[in-house]
Amino acid sequence: MELFHEMYSQYFLAVKKAILLTQEKDSLSQKEIYQILQKTAFGESAMNIVPHFQDESWPMIQLENGQGSTNLVSEISRPLSKLEKSWIKAILLENQISLFLSEEEREKLLEALIDVEPLFSKKDFYYFDQSTDGDHYTDPIYQENFKKILKAYHEKHPLKISYLSSKGRNSQVSIFPDRLEYSEKDDTFRLYARTLSTKGFPQVIYRLSRIISMEILSEETVNIPSGEFQFFRAAHPIRVALSAERNTVERFMLQFASYEKQTLWDDDLEKYVCSIFYNKLDEEELLIRILGFGPTAEILSPIDLRRRAKEKIERQFEMLYGQIGK
Amino acid sequence: MAGYQELIKDFEKIRRYMLDFYIYGFRRREEFSYKSTRTYDNERRRIESYLGDYVKQHISSTGKQFYITMDCAQLNKNPLYSAWKSKSFTNNDIVLHFYLLEILSEEKKYTISEIVDELSEKYGVLMDVQAVRAKCKEYETVGLLCSEKQGKTLYYQKVDEVVLPNSLIDAIRFYQGEAPFGVIGSFLLDHEEKENDFFFFKHQFIVHTLEDEVLLKIVRAIQEKRTITFHNIRNIKQENLLTSGMPLYISVSTQTGRRYVCLYNYWQRRFASYRLDYLTNISIGEKAEEWDYFREKVENQRKNSWGVSFGNKRQRPAEICVKFFIDERREPYVLERLEREGRGGEIIRTAENTFVYSKTLNDAGEIMPWIKTFTGRILEFNCTDRNIEERFYMDIKKMQALYGKEK
């Protein structure tokens, strides 16, 4: 089973969309064809594809006098490939699938894929540094809450939730779900939502495992203006000087690969300096992870973060060697 | 640029460049030494075409750098999946794809000759019988078509469609970011003309998808309990080392982004781990009769591994023992972190606000980055591997010297 195959390609997808749109409208202008190709495929694709319509080497769409038509009349649909079915079979056997499907739905799909081998099994993967206190996916209440969140999101209904805070207090609040964030490292879901009871719909984040109960307020619908969730981005990046020792540069770049960053050579320091742009809520985690690199990664700025690193290191030095200066 | 094509024949061509632009974005053009600068220019242009604004450039006195960067926590889909959607093809490939899907869309079976006639009479498309036969065979192999022999005549038709319920589409939206081979989830969303706008991922290593072809072969070998042979490109020396062994499982670090195949190396007669991003040219070999035995053995041995190292035959496992100061009343979360991340190490409260963590490890060097994340709390550090112990104390002195300087 091949992963790299043209039937999955952006070109095939773009041409399919162009064909379907041409069928819908009977004919499409060359400009409209360009637009759909540019939207669906890669940056230079439209100018590679359109000549094939013009010279009829791809006769699915014929371009004449600036207008495109197609001799294909059906809704072109490709069956799922063996590879795709095999992947679906594999995820149907994952333990988190119960968050999405009822047991009945799962059994029905497994029956439809009875002749398919699963592409992979998680028992062949060993996540050696994943947190051991992840969410409890087999908990029926957790599963029910998860499904309610999806339903509320799709149908645009608010939710009334009962939530246990980190201080042990039980709160109730009406929210609209914005997104679910999963962390493989922590094996947890966090719900990003907007509070409906406060003016301006402020943004809040909840650990899904702390939501005790949930009710869909299906008599109401929500129309919150769409916009980017504000992620409390720190005003300045963390700048870290990286030593060439212990393969630090490669290790650091990979470990923080999920962050937006820029790495430049600094002639004065004779080191690479990596600037990490981050969410302020992640600051403490970033600080301790950078300290994990020891003396080969030095925080240069922001000044406050460098000061906090310095305080930890001084405290550490004194614990092991006695007071500094003595 | 003469000969430049937006699409590619071989995924390996773009894999290395995309990985390097993403991980080593600080390198300049002339530092990409493994191919010519013209190849660099072509690959850079392709990657810019696929990834758009995720490719940035920086111009300095020493030259231009191109790099891929993005905040992965804000991505609802992995932009690197576009590399998997860039396979080149012939005119016949794309023409036959659409016309076959239409001709075979009715629930009717066709012979090759009937398909050729239909193409010509209904659509004015002249196609060689051999080309149509080859495409139908290929599509049968990948699962789009099925064939049936009636007497001496072979008939083709489309396989039945599988209808995906909305609940499964939601699952695919999630698993395209979380599961192995998530790019297939992306193929499925494209197929269903759906997008993911609800599931996001923290600590996401999008670069893993570049190893998916390597991983696919290894996973297959594991499932079939077979051996593999591969080239191991060690980044530092740029050497290709041919290695063979019996793959047993895949190790994944959710914190550092590295993935490894753990296998039994026949020549060295021990367990070893190899990074997936260093592997190419995987070949699957014969069945390994002793697979189950080695799988059980390695699962026992890894109990003393912090990460992926099985240590050294010449060295005994090391004992590590760390005394921490943790304010029980004000910092219970630190103790929770010690328990949560300690990977089964023993934790004993020896006095008020004082806890001792201990563990036996095949390779104590692997635990050191984690120990250092508790900088500021370590009252004592002891390790039976004296080198590790000395290095820890030296590192703290070096860090004090580094941060003690005014900046």
Side-chain angles (χ1 to χ4, degrees):
Chain A
M1 288 190 285
E2 278 174 84
L3 199 51
F4 196 44
H5 194 286
E6 67 268 11
M7 68 174 149
Y8 308 122
S9 82
Q10 218 64 22
Y11 273 43
F12 275 46
L13 187 67
V15 169
K16 179 190 165 184
K17 287 196 174 179
I19 292 170
L20 292 176
L21 203 57
T22 309
Q23 287 172 341
E24 195 185 302
K25 291 188 169 188
D26 275 340
S27 106
L28 221 54
S29 70
Q30 185 161 317
K31 185 181 173 187
E32 285 170 310
I33 290 173
Y34 252 104
Q35 281 171 348
I36 193 96
L37 295 174
Q38 270 176 327
K39 197 177 159 193
T40 314
F42 304 126
E44 298 183 30
S45 304
M47 63 185 194
N48 291 327
I49 293 174
V50 168
H52 285 288
F53 297 153
Q54 287 166 333
D55 68 13
E56 295 178 17
S57 52
W58 297 359
M60 299 81 77
I61 291 183
Q62 292 107 35
L63 261 178
E64 218 174 298
N65 301 324
Q67 285 295 318
S69 60
T70 180
N71 55 10
L72 290 163
V73 298
S74 69
E75 197 181 321
I76 318 284
S77 98
R78 165 178 77 69
L80 298 186
S81 65
K82 284 182 187 170
L83 183 74
E84 288 166 324
K85 289 178 186 170
S86 189
W87 188 82
I88 292 174
K89 179 88 175 249
I91 67 170
L92 288 174
L93 299 171
E94 289 287 287
N95 63 352
Q96 286 158 327
I97 197 69
S98 53
L99 302 175
F100 299 93
L101 306 180
S102 66
E103 189 53 29
E104 200 188 320
E105 282 176 309
R106 195 181 81 96
E107 289 294 333
K108 202 171 158 191
L109 284 161
L110 284 172
E111 181 61 35
L113 297 173
I114 199 163
D115 295 325
V116 176
E117 287 297 316
L119 192 65
F120 63 89
S121 168
K122 277 286 184 69
K123 68 171 170 49
D124 296 325
F125 289 77
Y126 176 50
Y127 295 84
F128 58 84
D129 57 5
Q130 194 176 48
S131 276
T132 52
D133 67 346
D135 289 357
H136 297 132
Y137 305 117
T138 53
D139 177 2
I141 294 177
Y142 188 100
Q143 292 173 7
E144 200 185 314
N145 287 342
F146 196 96
K147 290 186 178 85
K148 282 180 182 173
I149 290 170
L150 288 175
K151 188 170 160 58
Y153 176 75
H154 287 309
E155 295 177 8
K156 303 270 180 275
H157 294 309
L159 288 162
K160 191 171 175 187
I161 68 168
S162 216
Y163 180 78
L164 192 68
S165 75
S166 54
K167 294 191 166 79
R169 267 183 247 133
N170 190 333
S171 319
Q172 288 206 338
V173 66
S174 291
I175 57 157
F176 181 71
D178 206 74
R179 60 171 67 178
L180 273 171
E181 178 190 78
Y182 176 71
S183 162
E184 189 175 68
K185 174 174 149 314
D186 302 327
D187 195 22
T188 58
F189 279 95
R190 287 179 179 82
L191 172 64
Y192 286 61
R194 293 174 193 264
T195 317
L196 299 179
S197 43
T198 312
K199 192 180 172 187
F201 310 122
Q203 298 156 351
V204 283
I205 306 171
Y206 300 101
R207 285 267 316 242
L208 220 62
S209 54
R210 295 215 179 110
I211 295 178
I212 303 162
S213 68
M214 199 180 273
E215 187 194 339
I216 301 178
L217 302 174
S218 39
E219 300 304 311
E220 303 171 42
T221 52
V222 175
N223 274 310
I224 293 180
S226 65
E228 283 221 357
F229 208 86
Q230 293 301 312
F231 283 94
F232 315 110
R233 184 152 153 145
H236 302 286
I238 299 176
R239 291 177 63 247
V240 185
L242 303 172
S243 162
E245 294 169 57
R246 304 182 198 174
N247 201 22
T248 296
V249 178
E250 193 252 356
R251 285 167 47 223
F252 193 93
M253 298 301 285
L254 184 54
Q255 189 172 149
F256 296 105
S258 62
Y259 289 89
E260 188 183 345
K261 52 189 190 304
Q262 184 186 44
T263 307
L264 301 171
W265 178 256
D266 187 301
D267 283 328
D268 295 329
L269 294 173
E270 291 186 332
K271 287 181 179 178
Y272 282 107
V273 174
C274 179
S275 299
I276 304 174
F277 300 87
Y278 66 104
N279 182 337
K280 203 88 170 96
L281 296 174
D282 293 339
E283 195 170 77
E284 185 63 24
E285 182 191 328
L286 278 166
L287 172 60
I288 62 172
R289 284 170 71 189
I290 294 170
L291 286 174
F293 280 80
T296 59
E298 180 194 355
I299 297 173
L300 301 175
S301 62
I303 291 183
D304 175 63
L305 203 66
R306 182 179 169 86
R307 180 187 51 74
R308 281 159 56 196
K310 187 178 171 184
E311 283 168 4
K312 283 181 187 281
I313 291 161
E314 279 179 349
R315 194 161 59 239
Q316 183 59 69
F317 186 90
E318 288 178 356
M319 279 179 178
L320 299 177
Y321 293 104
Q323 210 171 347
I324 295 168
K326 283 204 168 168
Chain B
M1 286 172 224
Y4 171 77
Q5 301 289 331
E6 192 180 39
L7 302 180
I8 52 177
K9 216 170 167 179
D10 175 17
F11 189 78
E12 275 300 308
K13 202 172 178 181
I14 203 163
R15 176 188 169 199
R16 195 83 194 274
Y17 276 94
M18 214 173 233
L19 181 69
D20 279 353
F21 279 138
Y22 187 61
I23 302 296
Y24 300 104
F26 46 84
R27 283 192 188 150
R28 296 184 309 275
R29 188 174 184 242
E30 51 276 15
E31 289 174 298
F32 282 77
S33 58
Y34 44 83
K35 287 282 184 185
S36 67
T37 50
R38 179 163 144 182
T39 307
Y40 170 93
D41 290 335
N42 283 346
E43 296 314 321
R44 188 209 21 93
R45 181 175 166 185
R46 253 185 221 109
I47 290 169
E48 279 184 305
S49 180
Y50 300 167
L51 298 183
D53 293 336
Y54 292 120
V55 180
K56 309 256 192 267
Q57 61 173 300
H58 174 80
I59 303 168
S60 68
S61 55
T62 48
K64 229 190 247 186
Q65 286 162 243
F66 287 93
Y67 57 101
I68 301 169
T69 186
M70 57 201 80
D71 181 0
C72 294
Q74 306 315 319
L75 298 175
N76 54 357
K77 81 174 177 186
N78 184 343
L80 303 189
Y81 288 162
S82 58
W84 288 108
K85 301 175 186 179
S86 67
K87 179 108 195 311
S88 63
F89 50 86
T90 64
N91 289 341
N92 278 358
D93 285 328
I94 194 166
V95 170
L96 282 172
H97 176 82
F98 286 102
Y99 286 105
L100 278 179
L101 288 180
E102 168 140 307
I103 290 166
L104 298 172
S105 61
E106 302 156 34
E107 282 185 25
K108 197 188 149 190
K109 297 172 202 185
Y110 284 80
T111 64
I112 299 296
S113 309
E114 285 170 344
I115 293 171
V116 172
D117 290 344
E118 190 85 350
L119 280 167
S120 163
E121 287 159 20
K122 197 169 171 186
Y123 303 102
V125 172
L126 298 174
M127 199 58 78
D128 194 68
V129 165
Q130 297 303 333
V132 174
R133 181 175 289 121
K135 183 56 71 178
C136 286
K137 268 185 131 171
E138 181 199 342
Y139 274 16
E140 187 178 11
T141 306
V142 299
L144 305 192
L145 304 182
C146 56
S147 65
E148 187 191 315
K149 207 150 188 180
Q150 288 177 9
K152 286 183 183 176
T153 315
L154 192 63
Y155 289 86
Y156 283 95
Q157 69 178 144
K158 263 195 336 187
V159 300
D160 291 334
E161 304 265 358
V162 175
V163 175
L164 306 184
N166 287 334
S167 51
L168 182 63
I169 302 282
D170 272 340
I172 293 169
R173 286 183 171 115
F174 169 65
Y175 282 111
Q176 58 84 34
E178 195 276 333
F181 312 110
V183 65
I184 301 172
S186 181
F187 295 160
L188 285 162
L189 290 178
D190 288 344
H191 180 271
E192 300 292 309
E193 293 185 37
K194 301 274 193 234
E195 303 253 346
N196 168 43
D197 54 4
F198 194 60
F199 291 101
F200 291 76
F201 303 88
K202 198 169 180 188
H203 312 121
Q204 186 185 190
F205 293 98
I206 60 170
V207 73
H208 285 171
T209 192
L210 299 177
E211 303 152 7
D212 276 347
E213 203 161 49
V214 163
L215 183 63
L216 192 60
K217 285 190 176 158
I218 294 174
V219 161
R220 199 183 119 207
I222 291 173
Q223 287 175 332
E224 295 179 12
K225 300 180 183 179
R226 291 178 177 274
T227 60
I228 57 172
T229 307
F230 53 90
H231 276 115
N232 183 17
I233 304 169
R234 293 185 302 164
N235 235 356
I236 300 162
K237 291 183 181 174
Q238 299 284 321
E239 285 173 33
N240 287 350
L241 296 176
L242 189 64
T243 310
S244 65
M246 185 194 326
L248 298 163
Y249 62 86
I250 305 293
S251 287
V252 182
S253 171
T254 62
Q255 297 183 28
T256 66
R258 295 180 181 182
R259 297 195 302 181
Y260 303 78
V261 56
C262 169
L263 55 76
Y264 182 74
N265 183 313
Y266 287 113
W267 187 69
Q268 294 175 350
R269 292 167 65 184
R270 64 182 193 93
F271 297 117
S273 298
Y274 297 87
R275 277 177 58 169
L276 294 188
D277 51 340
Y278 286 171
L279 306 189
T280 60
N281 300 326
I282 316 278
S283 297
I284 299 177
E286 293 167 355
K287 274 211 183 271
E289 299 302 327
E290 64 279 34
W291 193 92
D292 288 321
Y293 165 76
F294 280 108
R295 170 82 168 231
E296 190 181 330
K297 195 171 174 190
V298 78
E299 283 176 353
N300 276 330
Q301 230 174 287
R302 78 183 182 200
K303 285 173 188 163
N304 282 347
S305 293
W306 180 255
V308 298
S309 174
F310 293 95
N312 199 320
K313 269 186 179 174
R314 292 186 295 275
Q315 225 174 344
R316 294 161 65 96
E319 303 261 337
I320 196 161
C321 190
V322 189
K323 192 187 281 184
F324 291 103
F325 173 85
I326 299 171
D327 187 325
E328 292 169 79
R329 235 174 4 102
R330 288 192 286 189
E331 300 175 320
Y333 55 88
V334 179
L335 185 58
E336 283 162 16
R337 179 162 87 90
L338 195 62
E339 288 165 348
R340 186 172 66 241
E341 297 178 0
R343 296 182 212 176
E346 190 179 31
I347 302 170
I348 300 173
R349 181 183 185 274
T350 55
E352 190 183 353
N353 299 330
T354 309
F355 297 84
V356 171
Y357 169 91
S358 57
K359 194 161 170 56
T360 303
L361 293 168
N362 293 325
D363 181 346
E366 285 192 312
I367 199 176
M368 295 316 294
W370 180 71
I371 296 292
K372 283 187 218 140
T373 64
F374 291 93
T375 299
R377 300 180 182 286
I378 304 165
L379 293 166
E380 244 178 76
F381 177 84
N382 295 293
C383 182
T384 52
D385 183 338
R386 289 285 167 243
N387 289 332
I388 299 291
E389 190 177 284
E390 281 167 20
R391 181 187 263 197
F392 170 75
Y393 283 93
M394 190 56 59
D395 276 356
I396 299 301
K397 277 187 178 170
K398 284 181 180 175
M399 288 169 84
Q400 171 56 26
L402 209 55
Y403 282 86
K405 285 185 272 190
E406 289 301 318
K407 288 279 173 203

